[in-house]
Amino acid sequence: MTNAQEDFSLDAELAATEEWDEPDEEGDGFESGYADPAADLQAPDPEEIEDLEELTVGSQDLAERHALRRVAGLSTELEDITEVEYRQLRLERVVLVGVWTEGTVTDAENSMAELALLAETAGSQVLEAIYQRRQKPDPATYIGRGKVDAVKEIVQATGADTVILDGDLAPSQLRNLEDKLKVKAVDRTALILDIFAQHAKSREGQAQVELAQLNYMKQRLRGWGGSLSRQAGGRAAGGEGIGGRGPGETKIETDRRRINTKIAKLRRDLAAMKGTRDTKRAERKRNAIPSVAIAGYTNAGKSSLLNRLTSAGVLVEDSLFATLDPTTRRTTTADGRVYTMSDTVGFVRHLPHQLVEAFRSTLEEVADADLILHVVDGSHPDPEGQLTAVREVLAEIGAAEVPELVVINKADAADAMVLARLRQREPHSVVVSAKTGEGIAEALQLVEDELPRPGVEFTALLPYERGDLINRLHQHGEIDSQEHTAEGTIVKGRAHEDLAGELASYAV
């Protein structure tokens, strides 16, 4: 028995296929299910090319950062094999805990609000935040036995998997909290280090963050049960061999020794990178090019201000520590003098000491600057606290004596009473808005007035073939008057010692 038709005829079937090759009225009767290959070879729209060319480096970095975002409400565990292509990174669910030992209630609330922003920047979802009043933190658990029980109930009720504490905790305090809460516990320092690790892009920035993380982790090594307390030697060391054996050396000691070796290598690498930075800085000093450093609290608008002042095109994002790598741009004053403007890493209250040490070579840009633009967020609930926190770090890196101009940013979103209070407290200040451009012209004028001026006065008769000297005077000196005569150009002004020495032969 077969499925063939009883009246099947091969000639009839072939005749029925002849009309397949005949085109219909609208064209070919066959339509491919694939795209036309010629469509990919068409020239792109000129407007699309123009939009791509207008993308700045900062815009590209921001798009790359947003390419992978953590999302809420999705589990990282595979529940169904058909969902393997739709898994996402779940937001870490955290509970914030703080200890209030000094200051007012407003100070404690501002500190917790900042901790929440740090947690969200690191990629977590804040479920609950509590803080308590204590004369000093508990030496065993930081928050005390009773508060530990309360936090444990909150963790169980909310399903949190991490507790973040607003302080720098000792390794024993973190260990005791994890043993009692049964979830991961991290302090403020570890949270900031995690954000830095996410945002560092340059080779030097990544090395600096890794150095800070290793210094932090070295004192917090711990094992699971006795796995890190066994003696290491020979094959028992997991194939360590030479260098892994020792008389009674334990596994945790081996790990600590490896961390110390890695720290030494990172310091050598950073020292080599520092040489390159010092060479560039020495070249600017040799050419007597003044430098301006933009410093301030994180998310105060430093990168936005640099873009507004120099069209640098660096990354701008409304988050804490969005940019870590310093950016230097060359710009000129209204009268043609050349100077540089550098964006630096943002500061924060209780900035971890490990970060200050690791980023010391980068922060030297601030200490060696001729002027510091201290940017403060005028719309922040506690701008005075930001000023104090930044100046503490500036003093720690040896930049307390550098001339400072306070730039009160975000005037478009700030309260007029707050701006007036800040102007009264900081007489040498200017109010700007990097978003709208308000006050930028006044800020540029103040920067030009504060730049160091050449110290040697001169009057010279320059031949017309020495136009190169006049060009250098415009870039690195000041010209008070300029008169063209038959013999040459009579120039009066001020210049640096090196340039004044070249003009000495033409003095009149």
Side-chain angles (χ1 to χ4, degrees):
M1 181 178 181
T2 63
N3 294 326
Q5 301 178 6
E6 295 180 358
D7 56 349
F8 174 78
S9 173
L10 180 60
D11 295 336
E13 295 294 334
L14 290 175
T17 62
E18 292 180 356
E19 60 182 12
W20 291 4
D21 297 330
E22 298 178 0
D24 54 14
E25 297 179 357
E26 297 180 357
D28 193 359
F30 174 76
E31 181 178 354
S32 172
Y34 296 94
D36 185 6
D40 297 334
L41 302 178
Q42 295 179 358
D45 189 356
E47 295 183 358
E48 296 181 359
I49 297 179
E50 185 177 354
D51 292 340
L52 291 175
E53 292 177 350
E54 291 180 355
L55 283 178
T56 62
V57 176
S59 300
Q60 297 174 9
D61 292 342
L62 188 61
E64 180 181 355
R65 183 173 295 180
H66 288 174
L68 178 61
R69 279 294 188 186
R70 294 176 180 266
V71 296
L74 294 179
S75 174
T76 56
E77 297 182 358
L78 186 61
E79 298 178 356
D80 189 338
I81 192 64
T82 60
E83 298 177 1
V84 66
E85 296 182 357
Y86 305 99
R87 286 179 295 169
Q88 299 286 341
L89 295 174
R90 181 174 62 84
L91 286 171
E92 199 168 358
R93 300 160 62 86
V94 301
V95 173
L96 309 180
V97 180
V99 173
W100 168 33
T101 58
E102 59 183 9
T104 63
V105 178
T106 303
D107 295 334
E109 292 177 349
N110 290 337
S111 181
M112 294 300 295
E114 183 177 90
L115 185 66
L117 289 175
L118 288 170
E120 292 173 356
T121 302
S124 60
Q125 179 184 7
V126 178
L127 303 178
E128 191 67 54
I130 61 172
Y131 61 91
Q132 65 173 159
R133 173 72 173 181
R134 291 180 66 96
Q135 292 183 351
K136 60 179 181 179
D138 184 75
T141 59
Y142 186 73
I143 56 177
R145 183 183 304 174
K147 190 60 67 174
V148 168
D149 295 337
V151 173
K152 185 176 181 180
E153 292 179 0
I154 294 175
V155 168
Q156 293 175 347
T158 59
D161 44 35
T162 304
V163 173
I164 302 178
L165 297 109
D166 189 18
D168 189 9
L169 275 66
S172 60
Q173 292 174 323
L174 290 173
R175 186 163 54 248
N176 293 335
L177 281 172
E178 289 184 349
D179 292 341
K180 295 179 180 299
L181 299 177
K182 306 303 180 184
V183 293
K184 181 174 64 175
V186 297
D187 58 5
R188 185 186 182 94
T189 301
L191 179 62
I192 295 177
L193 288 174
D194 183 79
I195 297 173
F196 271 59
Q198 294 181 42
H199 292 176
K201 290 196 61 178
S202 68
R203 180 168 172 261
E204 184 177 11
Q206 292 174 349
Q208 289 169 331
V209 173
E210 185 178 0
L211 176 61
Q213 286 180 316
L214 290 176
N215 282 323
Y216 175 82
M217 293 167 53
K218 183 173 65 174
Q219 305 300 327
R220 290 166 171 80
L221 289 177
R222 59 178 299 188
W224 298 101
S227 61
L228 294 186
S229 61
R230 67 179 185 272
Q231 293 183 354
R235 294 182 179 178
E240 295 292 340
I242 297 175
R245 292 186 288 263
E249 184 178 38
T250 60
K251 186 66 168 62
I252 195 170
E253 291 170 347
T254 304
D255 292 343
R256 187 171 289 118
R257 176 164 51 83
R258 287 178 171 175
I259 289 179
N260 288 330
T261 302
K262 182 65 174 178
I263 288 175
K265 181 182 182 301
L266 287 172
R267 285 177 174 166
R268 289 194 301 269
D269 294 343
L270 287 173
M273 299 176 196
K274 181 177 181 295
T276 303
R277 190 180 296 278
D278 290 342
T279 301
K280 295 179 180 179
R281 191 181 300 120
E283 182 70 15
R284 293 197 297 265
K285 288 185 177 180
R286 187 178 67 83
N287 293 325
I289 299 178
S291 61
V292 178
I294 302 178
Y297 212 80
T298 179
N299 206 31
K302 299 182 297 300
S303 299
S304 300
L305 184 64
L306 179 68
N307 288 342
R308 175 68 71 170
L309 294 176
T310 66
S311 301
V314 298
L315 183 145
V316 174
E317 185 179 12
D318 186 14
S319 66
L320 306 186
F321 300 113
T323 52
L324 302 181
D325 303 318
T327 303
T328 301
R329 291 292 184 267
R330 183 187 181 101
T331 184
T332 58
T333 61
D335 55 1
R337 286 180 295 155
V338 177
Y339 67 100
T340 61
M341 187 168 290
S342 302
D343 183 18
T344 60
V345 62
F347 303 142
V348 73
R349 291 182 182 87
H350 312 300
L351 189 68
H353 182 71
Q354 295 92 336
L355 284 176
V356 178
E357 288 297 322
F359 280 77
R360 185 168 294 277
S361 60
T362 302
L363 295 176
E364 286 178 357
E365 292 285 347
V366 182
D368 293 338
D370 297 299
L371 175 66
I372 295 177
L373 293 186
H374 185 167
V375 184
V376 59
D377 184 359
S379 63
H380 192 269
D382 185 22
E384 290 86 358
Q386 288 190 352
L387 289 168
T388 303
V390 172
R391 284 169 177 162
E392 289 177 356
V393 181
L394 292 178
E396 188 174 352
I397 62 176
E401 303 300 326
V402 181
E404 177 189 63
L405 172 63
V406 177
V407 180
I408 306 171
N409 193 21
K410 304 184 182 180
D412 55 309
D415 186 6
M417 296 296 293
V418 176
L419 297 178
R421 188 180 73 233
L422 289 174
R423 290 297 299 268
Q424 183 177 7
R425 171 176 172 168
E426 303 291 340
H428 192 52
S429 61
V430 59
V431 177
V432 304
S433 172
K435 181 178 181 180
T436 63
E438 175 187 351
I440 295 297
E442 182 183 356
L444 278 174
Q445 184 61 46
L446 288 175
V447 169
E448 295 178 9
D449 295 340
E450 291 289 332
L451 289 177
R453 297 184 177 277
V456 181
E457 296 185 0
F458 69 90
T459 302
L461 176 60
L462 299 179
Y464 287 116
E465 60 268 16
R466 293 309 308 268
D468 59 316
L469 287 177
I470 296 181
N471 181 54
R472 290 174 60 188
L473 283 173
H474 280 292
Q475 291 183 344
H476 307 300
E478 290 187 6
I479 297 178
D480 295 333
S481 64
Q482 186 173 340
E483 179 182 356
H484 298 287
T485 64
E487 294 79 11
T489 304
I490 299 177
V491 183
K492 294 182 180 180
R494 288 177 297 276
H496 296 287
E497 293 183 0
D498 295 342
L499 185 55
E502 297 185 39
L503 296 172
S505 58
Y506 303 101
V508 293

